[in-house]
Amino acid sequence: MDALKIRLQNACELLKKEGFDKAIIGDPMSINYLTGISIIPYERYYGLVVDADACSATMVNPSVDTGCMKGTVKEVTYLDSDGPAAAIREVVGECKKLAVETKYFSMAIGEIFHGLGCEVADIGNCIAKLRMCKDESEIETMQFAAKIVDEAIAYVSDKIKPGMTEKELNMMLYSYMSTYPGFITDEFIILVLGADNSANPHGVSGDYAFKDGDIILLDFCAYYKHYWSDITRCLFLGHVGNPKLAEIYDIVLRANLAAIAKVKPGVKACEIDKAARDVITEAGYGELFLHRTGHGLGLSVHEEPNISSDNQLVLEEGMTFTIEPGIYIEGVGGVRIEDDILVTKDGCHIFTTTSKKMEDHILKY
C-alpha cells in the first residue's frame, strides 16, 4: 500500500475513533498530505470530503479548475454563478456527525455546513496529529530540503563583502536555491539582518549595507517538493565587532545543544523548551529570549508541534520541528541558532548540518 493510501486509511480510522462519519478538509496543506496534490484556492471554495466508513475521499472544487486532482480522487465541480452549496450537499449526502476545519473555513461556508442537516463539529487536531509524525518519503524530502539551505550558506559565505546590502544577500540566497530542481519559488522566507537589525526576531531585509565587524543573521527556508526546511546561522564579517555578541553567541549555542540533547520519544515538548530556556535564564538573559524554542515543520513552515513552555505534548518517533533559541539586545544585535530536528526511536536526528561554531562563521574578505 502506498503512502497516500496509508495516510487516508489512518485519517479515516482516527475520524471514526473521534465519532465522525465524514470530514471536510479545506487547508491546502492537509489536502496535499492526503492526496499528494497542491492546490491554490484563492477566493474559491475547495473542500476534500473524507468518508470514514468507505475510506474514500471526494473533492468539491470550482469548474474552472476541473481536473485539479489529476485523477487521485473523484471531483464534483460547481459553477461560480451557482456557488458550492449544492455540490457540498451532494457529496456529503447522509451523515450524522460531520467534522470540519472551523479555523480554516469562513463563516459563510460554515452556514452551508450547518444547513446540511447533520451535527457539525470542529475537527480539532485529527489531521494535525497525523501530519506531526512523518513517514519515510516525507523524511527523505525534508532531509534534501535541509541540504539545500546548508549548501546555500556555504555558497554565499565567501561572497559577502562590506557594502553588500541585506536585500542583495537575500536575493543571492534565493537565486542559488532556485537552481535546485524541485525547489518551489512561489513561496519563500528569507531573513537577512545585519548589525543591530538582527535584534528583531522577525525583521525584514532592507537596504542596510554591511560593515566590517557586523553580525549578519541569516534565517531562511527551502521549500522543496512542498516540504520546508528552516535554518538560522549568524555570520561575522571580518571579525566579531562587539564582544557582547560573542558572549551571547556562546550562551545561545549552549542552549541549542542542551535542547537537542533532551529530544527523544516520551519527553514533553515543554521540557525541550525548558532545557534551552534554563541555559539562557541562568546566564542572565531570560527576559531577552523573546519566543518559543521551536515550531513544527513539514508541509507548513509552522505547524504542530510547538516547542513551547506550555505544550504538554509527548514527543513521538517521526515528529519534526525546529530548535531555535535566541537572545536579542536592542542597539547591539541578536543571536539565534536554529536546527531542524527529527525524533528517532532512541533520540533525534539533526537534518541541518552547517557548523554552529562561531569561529567557522567569521568571514574573510
Side-chain angles (χ1 to χ4, degrees):
M1 187 180 295
D2 66 29
L4 293 175
K5 288 182 179 178
I6 292 172
R7 292 177 196 175
L8 179 60
Q9 184 179 71
N10 290 341
C12 290
E13 289 175 357
L14 189 54
L15 288 170
K16 286 191 285 187
K17 183 179 178 180
E18 296 293 330
F20 294 113
D21 302 309
K22 296 176 182 177
I24 301 181
I25 311 299
D27 178 0
M29 295 301 101
S30 292
I31 291 172
N32 185 304
Y33 177 77
L34 293 172
T35 67
I37 300 297
S38 177
I39 62 166
I40 303 176
Y42 297 110
E43 75 281 5
R44 292 184 170 93
Y45 172 89
Y46 289 72
L48 185 72
V49 181
V50 177
D51 187 324
D53 289 327
C55 196
S56 64
T58 302
M59 174 61 86
V60 175
N61 54 277
S63 58
V64 71
D65 205 8
T66 297
C68 66
M69 301 309 292
K70 301 178 182 178
T72 57
V73 297
K74 179 184 176 183
E75 294 179 28
V76 174
T77 63
Y78 65 89
L79 295 173
D80 283 347
S81 57
D82 295 333
I88 294 170
R89 283 194 296 270
E90 175 187 339
V91 176
V92 172
E94 293 186 8
C95 177
K96 292 182 179 179
K97 189 173 183 181
L98 175 69
V100 300
E101 294 179 307
T102 57
K103 290 182 180 179
Y104 178 81
F105 290 111
S106 69
M107 292 180 68
I109 294 298
E111 290 180 4
I112 295 175
F113 295 157
H114 283 286
L116 294 173
C118 59
E119 181 183 352
V120 178
D122 180 48
I123 196 170
N125 60 357
C126 282
I127 304 302
K129 281 182 181 178
L130 299 177
R131 284 175 53 182
M132 273 194 285
C133 293
K134 282 26 178 210
D135 58 36
E136 289 184 10
S137 65
E138 291 177 293
I139 291 168
E140 181 180 352
T141 302
M142 292 182 70
Q143 182 64 75
F144 195 87
K147 178 177 184 287
I148 294 175
V149 292
D150 282 328
E151 293 183 353
I153 291 177
Y155 175 78
V156 302
S157 288
D158 64 355
K159 297 174 176 60
I160 303 171
K161 304 287 189 289
M164 176 182 282
T165 68
E166 293 170 338
K167 288 195 300 189
E168 288 172 330
L169 181 52
N170 182 306
M171 293 310 298
M172 182 183 291
L173 286 164
Y174 175 80
S175 296
Y176 175 78
M177 292 190 293
S178 67
T179 64
Y180 284 82
F183 178 83
I184 298 171
T185 57
D186 291 349
E187 295 185 49
F188 64 95
I189 300 171
I190 303 176
L191 277 63
V192 176
L193 303 170
D196 57 356
N197 292 338
S198 60
N200 183 346
H202 280 172
V204 177
S205 304
D207 296 317
Y208 177 77
F210 306 131
K211 298 179 179 65
D212 184 72
D214 274 350
I215 185 172
I216 303 171
L217 186 149
L218 307 179
D219 181 351
F220 66 103
C221 306
Y223 191 29
Y224 171 73
K225 294 185 176 180
H226 300 288
Y227 282 82
W228 291 90
S229 61
D230 193 359
I231 193 170
T232 305
R233 292 293 186 269
C234 294
L235 316 180
F236 297 87
L237 190 53
H239 68 286
V240 182
N242 187 327
K244 178 61 71 173
L245 290 172
E247 176 192 346
I248 65 173
Y249 191 102
D250 176 70
I251 297 165
V252 171
L253 177 56
R254 288 192 285 114
N256 170 278
L257 295 174
I260 291 173
K262 191 74 175 176
V263 177
K264 63 179 180 181
V267 173
K268 293 180 180 179
C270 60
E271 295 178 70
I272 309 301
D273 182 272
K274 185 177 186 299
R277 202 165 299 278
D278 282 353
V279 172
I280 293 175
T281 299
E282 289 168 10
Y285 291 96
E287 292 183 358
L288 300 179
F289 183 3
L290 305 176
H291 51 74
R292 62 194 174 189
T293 293
H295 55 81
L297 194 65
L299 284 163
S300 298
V301 71
H302 284 193
E303 60 181 45
E304 297 292 339
N306 289 319
I307 308 303
S308 59
S309 60
D310 60 349
N311 191 354
Q312 298 293 317
L313 178 77
V314 175
L315 300 184
E316 299 178 29
E317 182 179 359
M319 290 182 175
T320 53
F321 49 83
T322 67
I323 287 179
E324 49 181 302
I327 297 173
Y328 310 91
I329 305 175
E330 189 174 352
V332 174
V335 171
R336 181 167 63 255
I337 300 174
E338 177 181 20
D339 286 304
D340 300 345
I341 307 297
L342 166 69
V343 182
T344 60
K345 181 180 180 181
D346 300 314
C348 71
H349 168 72
I350 307 172
F351 287 124
T352 40
T353 61
T354 297
S355 173
K356 293 180 280 193
K357 296 179 180 179
M358 188 175 70
E359 57 266 32
D360 291 339
H361 294 301
I362 299 176
L363 309 179
K364 304 303 180 183
Y365 60 89

